[in-house]
Amino acid sequence: MTALHRLRTALLIALLAGAGQACTLLPSDAPHAVYRLPPPEIPAAEGEPVGWTLRLNRPSTHDVLAGNRIAVAPDERRLGVLPGARWPAPVPVLWRDRLREAFQADGRVPRVAADGERTAADWTLAGTLHAFQVERRGEARAQAAIRFDAQLLTADGRRIVATRRFSAERQLAGDGAAAAAAALGEASDAVAAALIDWTLSRVAAHGEEGH
């Protein structure tokens, strides 16, 4: 073996050894802990249930909220995710199902369907979820923030009959994903309670059949 061949062999061995060491230094994909929202605390309302059916659509949203990670905004210009934690479903699905639970707990709209279900509905509730996250403003304690632009549509989903923005904030009782989930659950209840009342009043104002 010539000196040139020995040099090339030595360099190749060194490169392979370095590559193997580099691979061992790469971080592995650690599993994420799954956090659920607490059950909605929506009291049963008085009065007779309505006779119409409501369909809930998944809201539109931006990229970070489209996934199943717990969003965190350390300031007004940045939006990231909480490491090592996730929701059991993508946020739009989580939000739709949360509203469905809230309507069912309230009891005044007993027939609530989700988008994708082959169920005839008289009205459709859709919207845009602008925030479903933990926010921190300066030195203040972190808070859960929800901002939802609701749209009440006719049965075919083609005509908007009412719109309104709903928002709520709740301070976190501690640090970490468990505190974030608890505070977001409380904020969800506040938005859902106002949204239910608004939906009922708008349908009553436009007639019970959304045609």
Side-chain angles (χ1 to χ4, degrees), residues 26-97:
L26 291 175
S28 60
D29 291 333
H32 292 101
V34 178
Y35 290 86
R36 301 180 183 275
L37 293 172
E41 296 185 1
I42 304 292
E46 298 179 356
E48 292 295 324
V50 299
W52 42 268
T53 301
L54 179 69
R55 175 180 291 106
L56 294 176
N57 285 355
R58 283 166 289 182
S60 59
T61 187
H62 55 75
D63 290 344
V64 175
L65 291 184
N68 63 353
R69 302 295 300 277
I70 301 177
V72 178
D75 54 50
E76 295 181 355
R77 296 185 178 182
R78 294 182 294 165
L79 185 62
V81 296
L82 197 64
R86 66 176 179 86
W87 300 115
V91 172
V93 176
L94 190 78
W95 179 247
R96 179 202 64 191
D97 292 348

